[in-house]
Amino acid sequence: MAFEKVLTRNVGHPEALGVRGYRDRGGYDALARALRMAPEEVVEEVKRSGLRGRGGAGFPCGMKWSFVPRQHPKPKYIVCNADESEPGTFKDRLLMENDPHQLLEGCVIAGWAVGANTTYIYIRGEYTKAARILEEAVRDAYASGVLGENVLGTGFRHDIHVHRGAGAYICGEETGLLESLEGRLGQPRVKPPFPAVVGAFGCPTVINNVETLCCVTHILQRGADWFKGIGPDERNTGPKLYAISGHVERPGTYEYPLGITFRELLEGCGGMYKGRGLKAYIPGGASAPMLGVNDQEIPLAFDHLARAGSMLGSAAVIVMDETTCVVRATLRLSRFFAHESCGQCTPCREGTNWMAKILTRIESGKGTEADLDLLASVVPNVGGISLCALGDAAQGPVKSLLAKFGDEIRDNLRHGRYPLPRQRFFDPGAAS
Amino acid sequence: MTNHATADHSILPESVRTEIDALRPRYPTTEALLLPTLHRAQRAAGGWLSPETIVAVADFLELPPAKVAAVVSFYDMFHDHPVGRHRIRLCTNLSCQLRGAEELLEVLGEEFGVGEDEVSADGRCSYVQFECLGSCDTAPMMMVDDEYHENLTPERVRQIVRALD
Ligand SMILES: Cc1cc2nc3c(=O)[nH]c(=O)nc-3n(C[C@H](O)[C@H](O)[C@H](O)COP(=O)(O)O)c2cc1C
Ligand code: SF4
């Protein structure tokens, strides 16, 4: 059976930016359906679908929802994680800019399922266009009776507020996000307690990624069985957005069944840039260890990539061709993590800086074998005993550099810096 | 509420105060208004947050000024030092690097004759390297004020920056 795109079905249909146009294309049916079900049934349906979080960690969505206490004296919240700052990731921006109501619908369904009357959409501060479009959609939704005191005439109340971040990767980590939402530095919290019990403003909170909530909309529309029928197995289900960038002919966001292989994805976007050979690819954003030419048949799914020593993460696929200096590429990612570490935990704060410093030396051609040994001894100590997963994430690219590209590092040590070929990838033809 | 009689409204304009007051019902705490307030205050103050503006924001939200200053320094989009009339953020993270962002950084240096995060002599611009801005399919890219400029080449960068007032 041919795969039908659902998450991106309204891309290229600007009428769907308004409630009326969205409804004409089948929108808000899922919400009406959900509101006719008992909240517990909605949670059950999402559980049965096998939906796993699309933000990076792949946690089962329905299970997360079921951790929220049913009876609780405090208000409950839905927080949509629209911080999208994992390098290489741009799928949530596409969803928000082209189909804001698909997201709003998922938020209200989540609110009904766990008994929350408020959603905060925490969107990274740089996404000014997406924020404007969401604000406009929210206004329209209030005016159309989709939001507010009486959602679709059912008496259920739900409010949605768009809240802008201000530029900090760590605010994508769910408890860093909550701190930031509350007006503080985005420094992750000690867990437990988990947000399901003590989240935003000390209240039970569900935090989900944009794409996860968009999936919820379609699960309620088409049923858990439909969702489960897509993907390689029952632990890896549903449609998936892959954001592919780097040295390929047609970078972009592509919707496929979860678990297509890298080779299929690459073919779908026109292959390698100018037909060059592949050197390495990152399957899931900066945090995911690099894979190489021999890893092209691995299904890009949660468990399959984990077994291959990497991860699906945010499904941001960054492709590097044979002319790339992978040491330089890894150095750039290490600098990123060093810059973004919030500084609370010593292994992460110190370790990310050490990795960046040593790699700077090696990349610049001033490194020695001793630097390589030092790097290898630092990497295992950067993650682990710390408050969040940023330290672990920072290990990813360096670990894979050491494991897969040792020859190239030695080459760098012996011959000095790779010259940067000029003007290689500018394509004035593609410029609009 | 803040004592509006003593607050210096030339530093935190009435329009910002009104907008923020309208947002109060959205949040259970006043503290949660800090990021929304800083965004608006910075825009009203010409792109950066002086110690006076920080004190005015702290006063308005009844927060300790030191707390507000810490938040300002934590986030990359808030500036506690003067910036140019236009603010350029060039993504140099991996996807843009693979498509030539490092060369564009040199172009910016040549165009403005100053280093990163310094204001050009005519006050027109300051530029910085930035982390991934989520536009990797149209790399290399940069943000000028609130606008994304995508699929850049050195020529396009020169054109864009020369057209800035
Ligand atoms: C350093 C760090 C950065 C993260 N950034 C994001 C992000 O930008 N967007 C996102 O949805 N999740 C991000 N996450 C994952 C969140 O912590 C969380 O798992 C996710 O929002 C849960 O939603 P989901 O279950 O729907 O995926 C990040 C995690 C870490 C450790
Ligand atoms: S692991 Fe790093 S980013 Fe996470 S809380 Fe600790 S210092 Fe901050």
Side-chain angles (χ1 to χ4, degrees):
Chain A
M1 198 178 70
F3 172 66
E4 180 194 350
K5 291 177 185 166
V6 293
L7 294 167
T8 53
R9 60 194 262 286
N10 285 334
V11 176
H13 291 274
E15 69 274 20
L17 293 173
V19 169
R20 177 187 297 225
Y22 180 68
R23 275 203 164 126
D24 287 345
R25 296 181 54 76
Y28 288 120
D29 280 1
L31 175 58
R33 192 164 307 203
L35 291 169
R36 285 195 296 270
M37 295 161 67
E40 295 79 3
E41 289 173 338
V42 176
V43 176
E44 200 46 46
E45 192 73 6
V46 172
K47 256 191 194 166
R48 231 166 43 77
S49 76
L51 171 62
R52 293 172 69 174
R54 296 333 197 198
F59 195 83
C61 180
M63 196 191 295
K64 187 190 284 191
W65 290 9
S66 68
F67 294 155
V68 176
R70 279 267 149 232
Q71 302 300 330
H72 202 276
K74 290 185 175 172
K76 301 171 198 169
Y77 294 105
I78 304 297
V79 172
C80 169
N81 189 341
D83 193 58
E84 189 156 75
S85 306
E86 180 75 19
T89 317
F90 45 94
K91 65 187 178 70
D92 295 340
R93 182 160 78 95
L94 178 100
L95 292 172
M96 293 187 283
E97 288 184 354
N98 290 276
D99 202 358
H101 289 288
Q102 173 177 236
L103 173 59
L104 301 188
E105 188 168 6
C107 293
V108 186
I109 293 170
W112 173 246
V114 305
N117 297 116
T118 308
T119 292
Y120 294 105
I121 300 178
Y122 183 99
I123 182 168
R124 66 178 295 183
E126 297 88 349
Y127 278 3
T128 51
K129 182 180 173 194
R132 247 186 346 260
I133 289 171
L134 281 174
E135 296 267 16
E136 191 53 48
V138 166
R139 264 195 297 278
D140 197 5
Y142 273 105
S144 314
V146 170
L147 289 176
E149 287 300 324
N150 190 9
V151 172
L152 300 184
T154 59
F156 176 59
R157 176 170 74 77
H158 201 81
D159 293 309
I160 297 187
H161 306 302
V162 178
H163 189 95
R164 289 178 62 210
Y169 170 63
I170 195 59
C171 295
E173 195 279 339
E174 54 191 17
T175 59
L177 186 156
L178 294 175
E179 284 293 302
S180 177
L181 173 65
E182 294 184 28
R184 295 189 282 270
L185 313 189
Q187 292 183 318
R189 296 176 180 169
V190 179
K191 285 155 279 195
F194 290 97
V197 185
V198 184
F201 307 104
C203 303
T205 301
V206 162
I207 303 166
N208 276 133
N209 170 260
V210 170
E211 186 186 346
T212 310
L213 289 165
C214 290
C215 286
V216 164
T217 297
H218 297 287
I219 290 167
L220 270 292
Q221 174 80 20
R222 293 158 183 255
D225 290 326
W226 160 79
F227 196 88
K228 260 185 358 194
I230 301 168
D233 56 46
E234 75 282 2
R235 286 180 41 85
N236 298 270
T237 61
K240 183 76 195 86
L241 297 186
Y242 293 93
I244 187 162
S245 65
H247 298 151
V248 299
E249 279 292 326
R250 289 192 304 276
T253 303
Y254 294 84
E255 181 173 354
Y256 284 111
L258 183 61
I260 61 150
T261 64
F262 174 76
R263 191 183 299 285
E264 291 167 316
L265 180 66
L266 187 60
E267 271 166 24
C269 71
M272 293 295 295
Y273 181 76
K274 294 215 190 305
R276 295 206 180 115
L278 173 74
K279 182 179 274 184
Y281 77 94
I282 293 174
S287 316
M290 292 183 280
L291 296 170
V293 276
N294 298 326
D295 305 314
Q296 298 184 66
E297 306 301 338
I298 299 171
L300 301 175
F302 295 105
D303 296 336
H304 307 70
L305 281 167
R307 280 197 291 273
S310 188
M311 61 188 227
L312 180 65
S314 61
V317 182
I318 306 175
V319 180
M320 292 170 260
D321 75 16
E322 60 203 356
T323 70
T324 311
C325 171
V326 283
V327 178
R328 194 176 181 81
T330 309
L331 166 61
R332 184 61 188 88
L333 298 179
S334 289
R335 282 200 178 132
F336 164 76
F337 288 113
H339 177 238
E340 299 296 342
S341 166
C342 84
Q344 289 189 101
C345 319
T346 310
C348 169
R349 181 185 63 239
E350 301 300 321
T352 53
N353 274 304
W354 273 68
M355 291 196 299
K357 263 190 210 142
I358 301 166
L359 279 170
T360 300
R361 263 204 309 273
I362 295 176
E363 190 275 336
S364 69
K366 299 196 188 85
T368 61
E369 282 288 336
D371 282 319
L372 191 47
D373 295 341
L374 184 60
L375 186 60
S377 72
V378 168
V379 175
N381 298 305
V382 180
I385 42 166
S386 44
L387 290 175
C388 87
L390 187 141
D392 306 312
Q395 293 175 319
V398 188
K399 216 162 47 186
S400 57
L401 177 74
L402 292 171
K404 293 196 184 231
F405 298 98
D407 288 350
E408 209 168 311
I409 306 176
R410 292 214 165 69
D411 217 39
N412 230 168
L413 290 177
R414 265 197 300 275
H415 304 296
R417 171 179 267 157
Y418 258 59
L420 256 197
R422 301 253 128 185
Q423 298 275 9
R424 278 181 317 165
F425 304 112
F426 296 122
D427 186 359
S432 49
Chain B
M1 287 290 281
T2 319
N3 182 354
H4 281 231
T6 59
D8 186 342
H9 287 220
S10 64
I11 295 180
L12 190 64
E14 199 55 46
S15 57
V16 172
R17 293 165 190 268
T18 312
E19 274 187 58
I20 296 301
D21 283 337
L23 297 181
R24 286 182 194 268
R26 291 188 179 185
Y27 305 96
T29 65
T30 310
E31 200 178 4
L33 291 161
L34 182 52
L35 263 56
T37 309
L38 288 172
H39 275 301
R40 288 165 177 81
Q42 177 165 280
R43 181 176 294 265
W48 70 288
L49 294 155
S50 66
E52 294 74 28
T53 311
I54 287 173
V55 169
V57 167
D59 181 47
F60 177 59
L61 296 178
E62 298 179 327
L63 296 169
K67 191 220 127 105
V68 177
V71 166
V72 168
S73 74
F74 186 84
Y75 293 94
D76 288 344
M77 290 181 77
F78 297 140
H79 314 301
D80 55 11
H81 54 273
V83 295
R85 258 199 317 285
H86 298 285
R87 177 98 185 146
I88 296 181
R89 302 184 172 104
L90 176 75
C91 173
T92 59
N93 210 308
L94 185 54
S95 299
C96 278
Q97 181 188 76
L98 293 172
R99 293 233 164 207
E102 288 164 314
E103 195 174 341
L104 301 183
L105 186 64
E106 293 169 15
V107 173
L108 289 176
E110 287 159 20
E111 285 295 309
F112 297 115
V114 291
E116 251 187 87
D117 217 7
E118 296 168 2
V119 181
S120 63
D122 55 6
R124 201 157 52 101
C125 228
S126 48
Y127 68 93
V128 287
Q129 295 187 61
F130 218 72
E131 297 301 356
C132 182
L133 285 159
S135 192
C136 325
D137 51 343
T138 53
M141 66 79 67
M142 66 183 183
M143 207 175 164
V144 182
D145 302 325
D146 279 347
E147 293 294 314
Y148 276 34
H149 295 267
E150 302 161 273
N151 295 310
L152 294 173
T153 63
E155 293 68 42
R156 286 251 305 151
V157 168
R158 284 192 195 94
Q159 271 170 19
I160 291 163
V161 304
R162 285 175 192 174
L164 294 174
D165 55 34

